Amino acid sequence: MPKAYVLLNVEASSEDQVLNQLKEISIVKEAYVSYGVYDLIVKVHADTMEEMKETISHKIRNIKQIRSTLTLIVVEG
């Protein structure tokens, strides 16, 4: 099961609105507002890498208020 953290920068004062939209996406397991370089941190679990890619590319990145994302795929040792 592929897992990743997605770090997001969003438009000013839209953190709560984006957070609520992210929580509606099925592969999003946790989502938090963050203070620092990134505005939100999202933990995602998908059944396949293809599902993860499609969801991040077409659902998460298409949220209007998101300015940029950084995806960190987790490798279990």
Side-chain angles (χ1 to χ4, degrees), residues 42-66:
V42 179
K43 184 178 183 181
V44 296
H45 294 191
D47 291 328
T48 65
M49 284 300 292
E50 186 62 27
E51 179 187 20
M52 182 178 291
K53 176 185 163 195
E54 289 295 318
T55 302
I56 292 170
S57 296
H58 295 100
K59 291 185 181 177
I60 293 176
R61 290 186 179 156
N62 281 336
I63 295 173
K64 190 173 186 175
Q65 299 86 355
I66 293 177

Side-chain angles (χ1 to χ4, degrees), residues 13-24:
S13 302
S14 68
E15 295 88 356
D16 290 335
Q17 181 182 3
V18 174
L19 182 68
N20 289 332
Q21 291 178 48
L22 290 167
K23 288 181 176 181
E24 296 297 318

Side-chain angles (χ1 to χ4, degrees), residues 26-54:
S26 64
I27 72 165
V28 172
K29 302 306 177 192
E30 298 178 39
Y32 304 99
V33 173
S34 172
Y35 297 103
V37 176
Y38 294 96
D39 300 313
L40 294 134
I41 300 173
V42 179
K43 184 178 183 181
V44 296
H45 294 191
D47 291 328
T48 65
M49 284 300 292
E50 186 62 27
E51 179 187 20
M52 182 178 291
K53 176 185 163 195
E54 289 295 318

